[in-house]
Amino acid sequence: MEDGRAEYGVTRILVIGGGIAGTATALALHKAGFDVTVHEAHHDTAEDIGAFLTLASNGMRALAQLDASHVVTALGFPLRAMRVLDATGANWPTCRWARPTTRSCGTGACAAAR
């Protein structure tokens, strides 16, 4: 099987945005054999924005397909409970697990994007 460059006649691909979608896209394209460059608006890892990225089991399976789940697992922490608020700030039901699940992982957004 030829890599993506030979099959499609593309030598380089530019991905705009280093969030989870841009990073996952770049990983998948790189895995397919493309030369990928990611451009992100933040000048650093954006650790100062205080955001978290929570990945459920389907997200972790998607990262495993990109050979990236081990990085998130190493940098993240097990999800023990999840509290969701609606647009008014009211609580939706809280999900709690008796033990941490290894199928879901919450991690700082900057850690997942590295």
Side-chain angles (χ1 to χ4, degrees):
M1 181 173 118
E2 297 182 51
D3 70 11
R5 293 175 295 200
E7 186 175 346
Y8 296 102
V10 175
T11 57
R12 294 176 25 190
I13 295 177
L14 175 63
V15 175
I16 305 298
I20 188 65
T23 302
T25 299
L27 282 169
L29 289 167
H30 177 73
K31 188 174 179 182
F34 291 98
D35 179 17
V36 182
T37 300
V38 178
H39 283 268
E40 168 57 44
H42 288 283
H43 63 279
D44 59 19
T45 60
E47 291 178 2
D48 60 327
I49 62 173
F52 277 83
L53 176 64
T54 301
L55 295 170
S57 57
N58 61 337
M60 291 302 291
R61 282 193 301 273
L63 287 176
Q65 291 295 313
L66 301 172
D67 299 323
S69 62
H70 64 285
V71 175
V72 175
T73 300
L75 294 171
F77 52 88
L79 185 61
R80 296 180 186 275
M82 183 179 295
R83 182 175 153 206
V84 180
L85 306 177
D86 67 16
T88 67
N91 278 319
W92 282 15
T94 299
C95 300
R96 296 197 188 282
W97 292 276
R99 58 190 157 94
T101 175
T102 57
R103 295 181 202 170
S104 299
C105 181
T107 186
C110 61
R114 287 188 182 151

